[in-house]
Amino acid sequence: KDHFGDDEMGRKKSWNFLPWHFEFLSRYTTSHPEDEFGEQSLLKPLIQTRVVQPDGLSPLETLLANRSVDAHNKIASMLWESNSNADALNKLSTFSESHEFNDILKNGSADEKEDKVLTNLPSNKKGKVGRWEKRRGRKPGPKRTDEEIAQIRADRAAKKERILAEGGIWPPSQVRKERQVQ
């Protein structure tokens, strides 16, 4: 609230990343004993490793480890509406033992498309992985044949030879740089 502001606009801005971070952090688990996972942790960060959650987690730990978007939105709401750390902990503990959270555990997210693994692969409107809908940048020029490309390269080589034979500087961009220095 200090950063975004304690109003609806601040809440809206923070919702761009708060639930997403809870999804990422839900992967973290303290159940990586060093004697068992020490060597693996040197090879790659264990936060990216999928590990089955051990039995016997407290309700609060179960809530924080849950991968459901509904749970992450609830966590974000409770943290946003809390006045202190103790208040947040109390709200999260109460929710973790509620029937509402048990329903989330049983049924998952309300929107099946929402319960997904984070990925950086783009998808189109049909939900298939593929090219981005709108690619930024200039439009590609016309396709040239091999003969046209060879001719363009020959013209450029001839231009370079002519400029160097006349005592000029190659590449021409160097001329601009030298003029700027003077």
Side-chain angles (χ1 to χ4, degrees), residues 31-46:
S31 64
H32 290 105
E34 190 171 339
D35 57 335
E36 188 178 338
F37 293 95
E39 193 172 314
Q40 279 183 333
S41 70
L42 296 174
L43 300 174
K44 66 179 181 176
L46 295 179

Side-chain angles (χ1 to χ4, degrees), residues 115-157:
D115 269 343
K116 62 184 178 199
V117 176
L118 287 179
T119 181
N120 62 352
L121 297 174
S123 64
N124 59 20
K125 292 178 184 174
K126 297 176 185 173
K128 296 180 182 176
V129 174
R131 297 180 67 162
W132 287 270
E133 287 298 311
K134 287 187 176 180
R135 295 199 63 153
R136 294 186 179 166
R138 62 183 182 178
K139 294 181 180 178
K143 301 289 182 192
R144 294 191 170 101
T145 65
D146 291 337
E147 294 80 23
E148 289 173 320
I149 293 171
Q151 182 60 46
I152 290 169
R153 288 182 178 156
D155 293 344
R156 289 181 182 163

Side-chain angles (χ1 to χ4, degrees), residues 1-2 6 11 75-92:
K1 291 179 183 180
D2 292 339
D6 192 11
R11 183 182 174 116
I75 293 169
S77 293
M78 285 182 263
L79 291 177
W80 185 267
E81 295 163 1
S82 298
N83 297 323
S84 66
N85 291 346
D87 185 31
L89 184 59
N90 185 32
K91 286 181 179 182
L92 291 172

